[in-house]
Amino acid sequence: MAASSASRVQTELKPESLGLVAVTMQAITHIAPAIAALFFTQFLVTLSGLTAPLAYLLGVVVVLMLGNTLIQFSRQLPSAGGYYTYVSRALGARAGFLTSWMFILYSPMAGGVVCGFFGFIAAGELKTSYSWDVPWLWWVSVIVGASLVAALQYRGIELSARTLLVTGGAEIVIVLALAVTGFAKPGPGGVSLSVFNPANIGVGTAFGLSGFTLAIVLAVQGLTGWEAAAPLAEETKDPKRNVPRSVLLSIIILGVFLVFTYWGIITGFGVDNIKGIIGSPDLPGLALARNVWGGGWWLILIAFMSSTLAVTLATANVSTRMWYGMGRNGAFPKLFAKVHPVYKTPTNAIFAQLSLSLAAGLIAGAWFHPDVAFFLLTGLVLVLGVSFVYLMANVGVFVYYWRERRSEFNWLWHAILPVVSGLVLIYALAESFPPFCPSQNCPVDPYAKAPLVAGTWLLIGILLLVYYAANKREAWLKTAGAALGESEDDLAMAKVTPAGATSRV
């Protein structure tokens, strides 16, 4: 039996607890299938019209290109999949730290905001269907959801994994059933492949090509989370094999699922009735369920609830393992590295994440309103944060292979795919935010402040580097990748260099 990274790490967590299915479901639920499929439908169709499934299909292709970067790195560097080691090995430890810093931007704060949005949606549906006025349900959802997730995490990673399997499976089955019903009972225009015809870009929408490109980048955002198995590497069996495999599996499974679902929902409304989706006073998925399922529409709320619990748990798994790792290597106070003697879970990191989820969900919901906070923080800010990570990795894979493994350099895998996916991201982001976005496509306040939020987070990371350099405390940078599940042996073999030194061999 091959030795796993987890067995070599001096960890107090529970090693080799998760197999391929568990870590793949961790990545899948971090993507939040039901939320990605149903919460953003109206927005994406508004932007890209009839060709929303085509936009998602192209988004899947871009994500596969981005996944190629991680896989190319993992073939050479003995890492469980952490971007810190990869970027540090190619571009230096400071660049690696900033990449990790931006990578964790959304996971810690996402859960509370998603819970608040679910409560907001549920309250609206209860008022519409039963005249129950429960405007306070959004903040109750934040408190209950964050607390339940913390309790599940506290009791052990195996319980968390089983919960993800059940909740993730439930949301996928329900949403797939809705899509299949859409095909079985199509609206005006019937079942049609016109949704994949590039000649139809702009049909049913006023945004044209610029809206279609923004829909692509939001589709990339909708698939974000496929890297989420890496922070659990210390608890995974054979992580150098299973973590990269989970990347491909999660992208392919969710890519097919989301394209099929979007196609099914549009078909259910009618390919000749795009304005019906855009103008729907209800979420299109709920509206379609009411139409084709009658009283069974509440199953969609069950899918939303299941997805909310799953993504909150999956993002908390990522965050707590990062807080634990950073406490262990000295970047954070040592109290974050405390582990429960029986359950082998990072207790203080769990309590810290609970506090952050509550604060983010309650403050953002009260300040912006739950629905605005959801689209701002888990949509646009998230896009900017992970785009930084992907772009740094794309630059790094080219530099690494060109400089240190020239004999293995492949123009397709190490240059063309990283450059193409990087350019797509840059173009789509430019089309999405001032000053380059077309006037009809530019977000308004507070959404226009998303670059400011992401930029402030990046600035804080830079200031941390300056602070540690001024106080001669940069040595921890060499092991900062442990926050992403990488062992000391991994880091030593990868020759991650200290700040200011060269990484050449």
Side-chain angles (χ1 to χ4, degrees), residues 428-476:
L429 290 173
E431 286 280 327
S432 306
F433 298 101
F436 304 107
C437 58
S439 57
Q440 77 273 17
N441 204 41
C442 278
V444 297
D445 281 336
Y447 303 113
K449 291 186 171 63
L452 178 62
V453 174
T456 300
W457 183 257
L458 177 60
L459 179 61
I460 292 172
I462 294 172
L463 291 176
L464 277 174
L465 288 178
V466 172
Y467 169 78
Y468 281 116
N471 289 273
K472 302 186 183 303
R473 294 176 58 189
E474 287 189 293
W476 66 270

Side-chain angles (χ1 to χ4, degrees), residues 33-306:
I35 292 175
L38 302 177
F39 279 15
F40 294 98
T41 309
Q42 195 167 32
F43 191 26
L44 261 72
V45 173
T46 299
L47 291 171
S48 54
L50 177 64
T51 53
L54 176 62
Y56 232 110
L57 181 61
L58 293 177
V60 172
V61 173
V62 173
V63 171
L64 283 171
M65 293 182 189
L66 296 169
N68 165 71
T69 294
L70 188 148
I71 291 168
Q72 293 303 316
F73 267 129
S74 67
R75 285 177 174 174
Q76 301 297 340
L77 299 182
S79 165
Y83 279 106
Y84 171 82
T85 292
Y86 299 152
V87 176
S88 293
R89 183 68 174 89
L91 304 177
R94 291 190 183 97
F97 169 76
L98 290 177
T99 301
S100 299
W101 182 256
M102 296 302 287
F103 176 68
I104 67 174
L105 176 63
Y106 68 98
S107 283
M109 295 183 289
V113 175
V114 173
C115 287
F117 186 53
F118 167 75
F120 169 79
I121 293 295
E125 294 305 317
L126 290 174
K127 186 173 183 178
T128 299
S129 301
Y130 306 110
S131 299
W132 296 351
D133 192 12
V134 285
W136 41 263
L137 189 58
W138 74 267
W139 60 261
V140 171
S141 297
V142 174
I143 295 173
V144 173
S147 301
L148 177 59
V149 163
L152 290 170
Q153 285 192 295
Y154 188 87
R155 289 299 301 268
I157 190 62
E158 295 100 329
L159 178 59
S160 295
R162 288 195 295 269
T163 303
L164 291 178
L165 187 62
V166 172
T167 54
E171 63 179 300
I172 289 173
V173 169
I174 293 172
V175 174
L176 277 178
L178 179 64
V180 170
T181 306
F183 286 114
K185 299 179 179 180
V191 179
S192 173
L193 292 173
S194 60
V195 297
F196 299 108
N197 186 351
N200 289 326
I201 291 175
V203 172
T205 177
F207 294 102
L209 181 61
S210 63
F212 184 77
T213 58
L214 179 55
I216 293 174
V217 77
L218 289 177
V220 173
Q221 179 271 326
L223 285 163
T224 297
W226 43 270
E227 323 90 335
L232 274 64
E234 292 186 21
E235 296 154 287
T236 301
K237 299 174 184 177
D238 194 7
K240 293 181 180 63
R241 174 181 171 86
N242 285 330
V243 170
R245 288 171 68 191
S246 74
V247 168
L248 276 180
L249 285 172
S250 62
I251 293 173
I252 293 171
I253 292 171
L254 261 297
V256 172
F257 167 82
L258 290 171
V259 171
F260 181 81
T261 299
Y262 269 75
W263 187 14
I265 291 175
I266 290 175
T267 300
F269 266 84
V271 294
D272 294 336
N273 184 33
I274 295 300
K275 290 183 179 179
I277 298 178
I278 296 174
S280 174
D282 209 347
L283 286 175
L286 279 167
L288 179 62
R290 290 181 190 277
N291 183 42
V292 298
W293 287 352
W297 68 269
W298 55 267
L299 285 171
I300 297 300
L301 274 187
I302 297 295
F304 282 168
M305 182 175 66
S306 181

